[in-house]
């Protein structure tokens, strides 16, 4: 995963859901990592080296003790004229 993301966005949670839309991005492969900033400090907090706030990943990938770290290959989804949306849920 790159040190600096291609794009960062924020959104509000309304009735338990948040929708974030991207526009004017070229077709290609992308990966998404989302987190719910529960304490509104602008960063993903950690406890004992593990994320301490709810997270979600593209490609329905789930972080666990046995999953290893997320990589672009594990998270990538194709964005094309045939597949123009991606849903990511926070677990």
């Amino acid at each position: 995963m790159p040190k600096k993301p291609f794009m960062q966005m924020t959104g509000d949670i309304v009735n338990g859901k948040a929708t974030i839309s991207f526009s004017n991005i070229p077709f290609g492969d992308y990966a998404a990592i989302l987190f719910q900033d529960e304490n509104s400090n602008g960063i993903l907090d950690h406890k004992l080296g593990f994320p301490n706030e709810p997270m979600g990943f593209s490609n329905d990938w789930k972080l666990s003790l046995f999953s290893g770290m997320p990589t672009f290959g594990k998270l990538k989804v194709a964005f094309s004229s045939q597949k123009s949306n991606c849903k990511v849920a926070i677990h």
Side-chain angles (χ1 to χ4, degrees):
M1 298 302 290
K3 298 269 186 216
K4 185 177 181 198
F6 168 69
M7 185 180 297
Q8 287 181 266
M9 298 183 78
T10 61
D12 294 320
I13 299 172
V14 178
N15 295 324
K17 293 184 179 186
T19 300
I20 298 173
S21 298
F22 300 90
S23 58
N24 300 321
I25 60 172
F27 293 135
D29 292 334
Y30 292 89
I33 299 174
L34 307 169
F35 74 96
Q36 183 179 350
D37 189 9
E38 294 181 318
N39 60 1
S40 300
N41 67 351
I43 60 171
L44 175 62
D45 295 312
H46 291 76
K47 184 176 184 178
L48 301 174
F50 292 96
N52 196 34
E53 295 180 294
M55 296 187 72
F57 302 89
S58 53
N59 204 22
D60 202 26
W61 187 83
K62 292 175 183 53
L63 180 65
S64 73
L65 289 174
F66 306 106
S67 66
M69 295 300 290
T71 64
F72 184 79
K74 292 175 184 177
L75 305 183
K76 80 174 180 175
V77 292
F79 172 62
S80 67
S81 59
Q82 289 80 34
K83 183 169 184 197
S84 61
N85 63 37
C86 171
K87 292 182 181 180
V88 180
I90 292 180
H91 300 281

